Amino acid sequence: MRQVRTCSALAALLVAMPIWAAETKVDLRKERVGRPPVAFEAMVGSWVIAEDGRDKVVMVDGRPWAASKDAPTRLLIDSARKLYGTSNEELMDNAKQFAYYPVAILRSVQNFQNGSLSVTFKTVAGTSDRASGIVFNVKPNGDWLAIRYNDTEHNVALWEFHNGVRRMVKRGEEGKWPLDQAAWHELKMSVAGADFKAFIDGQPALEYTLGSEPTAGRRGPPHEDLYPANNPVLRPPVDGRVGLWSKTDSTSYFKDFVVATEK
């Protein structure tokens, strides 16, 4: 009788747990230091392989950003053709605004829906910004969602990019995460249908329901692009490419990028 009860309890537990169909962990060991990463397609910004101790890491180098504002737009156009096989008109229209946000798209995952994305990061430098993040739900027209940690504000925030403009969807508590710049930290996000969660070093940092209606803020009514009816990137389900995200002159290290998809 005890064995029957034990089996029943185990079965109930397995039903309640998500079933992970696949896990992709980006391996940087064969990457060449000083060269652009092979595992990621650099859409915008300067992305190279660097070393941190014995580890190879992906570095977004923000130092060239201010000196070459036109270069990211040209890089974006070339990269878009590689990824999507097209000179997408909408993506080209977005290119100028997009250039403020360095993005490197993971080559091996064509689309991500339900599951989790995680990366470990280290803040290195930045005058205007010190931001490290994960980009997801990347659409062929250049729209995306991004969850990021900002070392100047010590917070976590969810952003959307649509119609060539980035807008905040939800900001976590200001000043809650004064992380040690000299140490590695984990940024993780999970998606289950409309349910979105973000974590810093395993601790809950932000929750949001995709597709929910925006509310008025300190500056008045929300912009029309923050209404899911007007903005497909905000509507569940998540379905797009994923990668690494940064901002303007931020310099950060990234490693251990993991994509876990849920069946």
Side-chain angles (χ1 to χ4, degrees):
M1 182 64 71
R2 177 179 298 175
Q3 183 177 4
V4 171
R5 287 198 299 268
T6 302
C7 290
S8 297
L10 178 59
L13 178 62
L14 291 174
V15 168
M17 292 176 64
I19 300 174
W20 300 102
E23 182 175 282
T24 300
K25 183 174 181 178
V26 178
D27 187 353
L28 300 176
R29 289 176 296 178
K30 294 182 179 180
E31 298 274 6
R32 297 176 62 184
V33 174
R35 301 290 298 273
V38 174
F40 294 88
E41 178 69 39
M43 301 288 287
V44 178
S46 177
W47 298 85
V48 296
I49 297 297
E51 287 182 310
D52 185 70
R54 297 182 178 180
D55 293 335
K56 290 182 179 178
V57 302
V58 178
M59 178 179 73
V60 58
D61 185 357
R63 292 172 298 181
W65 180 82
S68 56
K69 290 182 180 179
D70 290 335
T73 302
R74 294 195 298 271
L75 177 61
L76 173 62
I77 293 170
D78 292 341
S79 299
R81 287 173 177 152
K82 291 178 186 177
L83 284 173
Y84 297 113
T86 178
S87 56
N88 190 298
E89 294 277 345
E90 290 178 276
L91 183 55
M92 299 312 109
D93 290 342
N94 286 345
K96 189 172 182 179
Q97 286 289 337
F98 204 117
Y100 285 85
Y101 312 108
V103 169
I105 300 297
L106 183 63
R107 295 177 187 269
S108 59
V109 175
Q110 297 299 310
N111 63 71
F112 169 81
Q113 297 176 330
N114 290 326
S116 68
L117 305 171
S118 62
V119 70
T120 53
F121 69 93
K122 181 189 286 188
T123 304
V124 177
T127 301
S128 300
D129 291 289
R130 294 192 299 275
S132 309
I134 297 170
V135 66
F136 65 105
N137 209 24
V138 181
K139 304 299 186 183
N141 69 346
D143 287 356
W144 43 250
L145 293 172
I147 185 72
R148 67 95 177 106
Y149 171 75
N150 189 310
D151 187 66
T152 62
E153 300 174 353
H154 301 147
N155 67 5
V156 175
L158 177 65
W159 292 84
E160 61 88 22
F161 186 90
H162 178 60
N163 286 337
V165 178
R166 186 188 72 145
R167 293 186 174 86
M168 193 196 336
V169 179
K170 185 173 181 179
R171 187 194 302 271
E173 185 178 341
E174 197 85 8
K176 185 176 181 179
W177 304 99
L179 302 181
D180 180 3
Q181 284 190 7
W184 284 93
H185 302 280
E186 183 191 56
L187 174 64
K188 183 175 182 177
M189 53 158 280
S190 66
V191 177
D195 184 30
F196 175 87
K197 293 183 173 67
F199 308 84
I200 289 288
D201 291 337
Q203 300 300 309
L206 186 147
E207 293 188 17
Y208 182 72
T209 301
L210 295 166
S212 58
E213 295 292 300
T215 56
R218 291 176 295 180
R219 298 181 180 179
H223 191 276
E224 61 181 11
D225 279 354
L226 289 175
Y227 287 90
N230 302 326
N231 188 346
V233 80
L234 288 172
R235 297 197 294 263
V238 164
D239 186 6
R241 301 189 75 124
V242 303
L244 301 172
W245 179 96
S246 186
K247 187 181 177 189
T248 60
D249 71 338
S250 302
T251 296
S252 298
Y253 289 165
F254 298 91
K255 64 178 182 178
D256 300 330
F257 190 93
V258 178
V259 181
T261 56
E262 185 180 332
K263 185 183 291 184

